[in-house]
Structures are given as structure tokens and as C-alpha cells.
Amino acid sequence: MGDFVDRGHYSLETVSLLFVFKARYPDKITLLRGNHETRPVSNTYGFYGDNPAPLVISGAEHPLSIDECKAKYGNSNVWLQCCNVFDYLNVAALVDGKALCIHGGLSPDVRTIDQIRVLSRAQDPPNEGAYCDLLWSDPDDSVQSWALSPRGCGFLFGSLVTSQFTHLNSLELIARAHQLVEEGYQYKFNEKLVTVWSAPNYCYRCGNEAALLRLDGNGKRQVTVYGPAPENDSDTKMKERRQGKTAILPYFV
């Protein structure tokens, strides 16, 4: 569900493996676009590899010295080609007609799934509108309908909006990513929406769990929670960035 790149030492290897899986098993895997699979964001947060923007934690900057496309290949050609592929990633996926998968969230400009189907995706998403919102919006328990997002893109949306959208489109679930959740997954709005976060110990310092969500043919949901790979303990680059699980860290974009 997107965000395959940025803020890691192996974004290029990760997205390359996913592309290979898609080429080898085209009818078995669907890759959705996240807000980091865009030129402006991946150019800023490490995938391009030229002075990535620092993380801001409790008001203090923590620069990430991540060497990616430019550092690994000496030029920007690989990054440019990856961005060209990103333009053709799906914006959403429908599982058995009952579960809608998107990266971010809902949009006030989208009432039906058919409106997502007709979006022109062969471009970098604009700074506003339906395409932007699907990649940037977030659910919020304190909001009933819509509110401006502190991210500067997309919206906050609440239980009323979610209930109306799922009812109108005969959905049982909206599955999305986009937000760090400590337990790896989090249900909201009477389990009509779930956030699934699949990057354990995000940025090598957050100490969070990660999760995978499986939906079977009968609509049964099975969540698998996991932590960082054992190889992280022997990887020099990762060990340099690790931080204890006791650290209290706010979420950052």
C-alpha cells in the first residue's frame, strides 16, 4: 500500500525486488502508490540521496545520512527511471469487492469507487484534489466529517465520512497505511477502517511493531505482527541508527 522508498538504507533494493515480483507474478501482486512514490517527496527524504531532509523529533533535528540512488550509482538516472514507474502504480485496489485498499485516505472529491477508476495517474499527484487526498489523508477520532490536515496535504476525515463511503460503495473495510502505529495495525470507526504499518522499528529508532493483513475469501481478517529482521543486529549501518525502545517519539511525516 505504498511508501516503499525513503528513510531507509535499502529503499532501492526494496522497490527493485517489488518490481521484479510484479514482473514475474503480474496477476498475484498489486503495488499501490504512496505519497513517497512521487518526485518531490522522494527527492527530499532520502531516495534520491542528495542531502535528505532531517527528521524533527521533539523540536530537534536528527539528520539521516542515507546514501541511495545518487550515491550508489553516481547520478540520478536510476531515481528518474523509478519515478517514471511510480507514475503508473495503482492508486487503489479492491479485494473481492468488499475491501478498498489505498495508501492515505478518503477525499471530499470522491464519493464512489468509480471516481477513483477514472483518475489520470500517469503524473506526479497535484497538491490538491482527489488524487492528492487518496495519498495524503488520515482518519481522526476527533473529526466527524472533514478537517484540514496538519500535513499540509489531504484532509482529516472521521467516522461519519467513513460510514457513508463504505455504505454507498457496499464495502466492509477500508485498509490503508501512511501512519505509524506502534502495534503495527490499528482499527477505527467500528472496524470499518484499519491502518496497517509494515515497517518495523521505523527509521531504526521508533521501536514499533509492524503488521501484515490477510483477507480470505470469506471476509475473515488475519493480522500477523512482526518485528525487525535479525539481520538488523549485524548490519553496521542499521546499528548506527538504532535507538532504544523506551524513547518517546512523536509521529513525523
Side-chain angles (χ1 to χ4, degrees):
M1 290 192 289
D3 280 8
F4 310 123
V5 301
D6 285 338
R7 288 190 166 143
H9 297 297
Y10 303 108
S11 293
L12 184 58
E13 289 82 356
T14 298
V15 76
S16 296
L17 180 61
L18 291 172
F19 288 164
V20 170
F21 282 157
K22 180 62 178 177
R24 179 63 180 85
Y25 307 105
D27 59 339
K28 301 294 184 182
I29 182 172
T30 299
L31 303 177
L32 302 187
R33 192 175 199 174
N35 62 308
H36 281 260
E37 279 76 54
T38 60
R39 291 167 183 83
V41 177
S42 65
N43 184 39
T44 304
Y45 289 98
F47 186 47
Y48 177 73
D50 189 13
N51 298 319
L55 305 178
V56 178
I57 303 175
S58 299
E61 290 189 353
H62 298 260
L64 279 175
S65 299
I66 297 176
D67 297 324
E68 275 289 354
C69 294
K70 187 175 180 182
K72 290 176 179 177
Y73 285 91
N75 57 62
S76 61
N77 291 341
V78 171
W79 175 76
L80 289 170
Q81 293 303 319
C82 285
C83 289
N84 290 337
V85 177
F86 294 160
D87 286 342
Y88 291 92
L89 294 180
N90 291 335
V91 181
L94 194 60
V95 181
D96 294 332
K98 295 297 183 181
L100 177 67
C101 302
I102 49 179
H103 176 72
L106 300 178
S107 169
D109 294 331
V110 175
R111 287 182 52 81
T112 67
I113 292 175
D114 284 339
Q115 289 176 284
I116 300 177
R117 290 189 173 104
V118 299
L119 288 175
S120 177
R121 63 184 180 182
Q123 58 176 320
D124 256 331
N127 294 326
E128 59 183 13
Y131 196 169
C132 171
D133 299 340
L134 294 170
L135 272 57
W136 283 91
S137 292
D138 296 300
D140 193 301
D141 290 322
S142 65
V143 175
Q144 282 294 309
S145 54
W146 301 101
L148 294 177
S149 172
R151 295 180 185 268
C153 287
F155 289 87
L156 300 178
F157 61 95
S159 59
L160 179 61
V161 168
T162 303
S163 179
Q164 291 174 341
F165 187 87
T166 53
H167 176 75
L168 182 62
N169 292 280
S170 301
L171 297 173
E172 296 178 356
L173 181 69
I174 297 172
R176 43 92 65 178
H178 195 43
Q179 281 180 300
L180 171 65
V181 286
E182 291 295 328
E183 299 80 13
Y185 72 103
Q186 183 181 69
Y187 279 103
K188 286 183 180 290
F189 312 144
N190 296 319
E191 297 196 354
K192 293 182 183 295
L193 181 143
V194 62
T195 297
V196 181
W197 182 266
S198 299
N201 195 25
Y202 186 48
C203 293
Y204 316 113
R205 68 181 71 199
C206 288
N208 61 283
E209 300 293 332
L212 298 173
L213 173 64
R214 179 180 180 181
L215 304 174
D216 68 16
N218 298 317
K220 185 178 179 181
R221 307 168 190 176
Q222 179 180 343
V223 177
T224 301
V225 177
Y226 60 95
E231 290 81 3
N232 289 5
D233 293 327
S234 59
D235 189 304
T236 303
K237 287 184 178 180
M238 290 187 182
K239 288 179 69 175
E240 291 172 354
R241 306 231 61 89
R242 289 178 67 87
Q243 182 171 324
K245 278 194 173 185
T246 57
I248 300 176
L249 304 173
Y251 179 71
F252 31 83
V253 176

